[in-house]
Amino acid sequence: MRKIDASVPIGRSRSDPISARAHAMKTVSIIMATFNGARFIGEQLSSLAAQTYPSLELIISDDGSNDGTLAIIDEFCRNAPFPVIVRRNETRLGYAENFLSASKLATGDYIAFCDQDDRWTSEKIEVAVEALSSSGAELFVHSASLMDVSGSTIGQFSQGINKSHVYEPLELGPWAVFYGCTMVFSRKLLDLVDGAYRGPHTFEFEGLLSHDLWIYFLATSLGKVIVDERPLICYRQHHANQTPHVQTRRFRAWWISLGIAAHPKLKRSEIADHRCGLMEHLCMSASDPGVKYAATRAARYWRQLAIYELERVKFYSARGLFHRALGCGILAWRGGYKSVGRGGLGWQLLIKDLLVGVFRLVAVFRAYRSSR
């Protein structure tokens, strides 16, 4: 085990190979961000040690734990079946920055984000590497089983994955996301665009984009994404989760699946414009012709999306039913609700925009409930 002081430059020595078979197969860097995870981290570490894929390294970045987390990690490192790097942050980074900064230490061909309180199936990495290698995709994502604090299965979390499928660039929804703990992706994505410029969060009114949203943006804009319906981890639900609980009622799940309402504070048009700029810069700086082509295409896509999102905010904010309906109609006529694969927002979003933006039924319902 190598312990690293986060305040000094970090590197790997030539005498620290990932494994004896690293030259013959793709290597995978597992990135685990930890903070006061003593209750469950031992179980997760055991599931990592049981992986059937041999070419692994584990990078653990601890964000200032003051429980027994680091003691459990130290004990695991004594007999770990793969190299382990442990970094102890001098100041709290927060979970998203902790994941992204730790990813800079990765030497593997692929990276897998890992939460401290889940449990992986033994074949997760093997399945992911095989899928990525055979498809040429940049991102692999899978479903999950849900478990409670005792480890008992309490449900399934499909993430909308109904069947295994390979998506071409720009075919998935622009504002969607897959959970980071279900992602395995190409290391080179992180070298294309500096994460420091990733821009604002797309679901929250403040803060930078989270690590999984950032990878989702890069992968879906520039390459293929393969989704697998098999639940390859058990995702633990408890009160201390850094990410939201995923159990929800069917109506709410359907409502969320329609897309996000055009709230002015989310500034989706500005975010899309920012992403267009990132892709334009990548097009000019990249030496790989394939990356240049993908970035050029993505820049056009995000430029058009910025226009659509600005039009959405305008009719959401308009006074009078007629003007809101007119604005929505004009956006539909201009192709704003064509399929995502054709560069639009998707017809499903039209349902929410009519109910929320035009007829404001949510506001009417809230007013009715408050009057009772």
Side-chain angles (χ1 to χ4, degrees):
M1 177 188 72
R2 293 165 57 208
K3 297 181 181 179
I4 294 175
D5 186 339
S7 65
V8 299
I10 303 163
R12 174 182 287 274
S13 67
R14 291 181 179 270
S15 61
D16 190 15
I18 291 181
S19 78
R21 300 178 59 186
H23 299 293
M25 62 174 58
K26 298 290 187 179
T27 54
V28 179
S29 299
I30 301 173
I31 309 297
M32 176 185 281
T34 61
F35 176 69
N36 287 347
R39 184 178 183 185
F40 303 115
I41 194 171
E43 185 178 353
Q44 176 67 301
L45 289 171
S46 295
S47 75
L48 300 186
Q51 290 298 300
T52 57
Y53 194 79
S55 259
L56 301 175
E57 70 172 356
L58 173 61
I59 299 169
I60 300 176
S61 182
D62 186 77
D63 217 17
S65 294
N66 54 20
D67 61 354
T69 298
L70 290 168
I72 296 171
I73 292 172
D74 287 344
E75 178 64 27
F76 172 79
C77 289
R78 292 191 179 97
N79 298 298
F82 38 67
V84 181
I85 296 174
V86 180
R87 183 182 73 169
R88 304 182 182 186
N89 301 328
E90 290 189 337
T91 58
R92 287 287 306 277
L93 299 178
Y95 72 95
E97 194 61 43
N98 198 12
F99 271 115
L100 288 175
S101 62
S103 297
K104 295 177 181 179
L105 309 179
T107 64
D109 299 294
Y110 299 120
I111 289 176
F113 288 139
C114 178
D115 289 348
Q116 64 185 4
D117 48 7
D118 299 334
R119 183 175 67 233
W120 289 10
T121 62
S122 60
E123 72 275 14
K124 164 170 169 157
I125 296 298
E126 185 174 1
V127 169
V129 172
E130 181 180 353
L132 288 165
S133 299
S134 61
S135 66
E138 299 295 335
L139 171 64
F140 171 87
V141 183
H142 57 79
S143 297
S145 297
L146 297 177
M147 64 178 176
D148 60 17
V149 293
S150 68
S152 300
T153 301
I154 56 175
Q156 298 295 315
F157 179 41
S158 70
Q159 300 198 96
I161 302 173
N162 299 316
K163 63 178 181 179
S164 299
H165 184 73
V166 178
Y167 290 92
E168 296 297 320
L170 303 173
E171 276 193 345
L172 284 165
W175 306 119
V177 69
F178 294 116
Y179 275 42
C181 58
T182 66
M183 289 180 165
V184 182
F185 59 93
S186 175
R187 169 67 178 79
K188 65 182 182 183
L189 283 176
L190 296 176
D191 296 326
L192 295 177
V193 185
D194 190 338
Y197 301 105
R198 61 188 185 273
H201 206 288
T202 55
F203 298 121
E204 300 174 5
F205 296 155
E206 57 185 24
L208 293 175
L209 205 62
S210 62
H211 60 295
D212 43 12
L213 282 163
W214 176 237
I215 296 302
Y216 179 90
F217 158 63
L218 292 175
T220 58
S221 294
L222 299 171
K224 297 179 182 179
V225 176
I226 183 168
V227 299
D228 195 309
E229 63 183 336
R230 288 173 285 185
L232 297 178
I233 69 167
C234 291
Y235 179 77
R236 196 184 302 269
Q237 299 280 271
H238 59 90
H239 72 279
N241 281 121
Q242 289 294 305
T243 49
H245 282 216
V246 296
Q247 282 187 302
T248 185
R249 295 182 179 179
R250 289 184 178 181
F251 175 79
R252 178 169 172 77
W254 171 79
W255 184 252
I256 293 173
S257 72
L258 297 180
I260 302 296
H263 198 293
K265 289 185 178 180
L266 287 177
K267 300 179 180 179
R268 286 284 178 81
S269 61
E270 294 180 19
I271 294 173
D273 190 60
H274 172 72
R275 293 182 171 186
C276 171
L278 292 178
M279 292 296 101
E280 288 177 338
H281 184 269
L282 178 59
C283 178
M284 292 185 292
S285 61
S287 57
D288 186 325
V291 173
K292 281 183 174 291
Y293 172 78
T296 300
R297 186 165 174 258
R300 290 197 299 265
Y301 171 86
W302 286 104
R303 184 183 301 113
Q304 185 61 60
L305 216 63
I307 296 172
Y308 290 155
E309 290 291 352
L310 183 61
E311 291 300 315
R312 288 184 72 212
V313 170
K314 285 182 179 179
F315 77 74
Y316 264 71
S317 304
R319 293 186 177 181
L321 176 62
F322 172 79
H323 290 96
R324 295 195 298 271
L326 178 63
C328 185
I330 291 174
L331 178 57
W333 177 73
R334 290 178 175 173
Y337 298 107
K338 60 189 175 184
S339 68
V340 172
R342 295 172 55 209
L345 297 165
W347 64 266
Q348 296 93 332
L349 191 57
L350 176 59
I351 298 175
K352 177 163 282 188
D353 282 353
L354 286 172
L355 295 177
V356 180
V358 176
F359 295 104
R360 295 186 176 176
L361 293 185
V362 173
V364 171
F365 178 69
R366 287 174 178 170
Y368 167 74
R369 288 186 63 184
S370 64
S371 66
R372 295 186 66 184

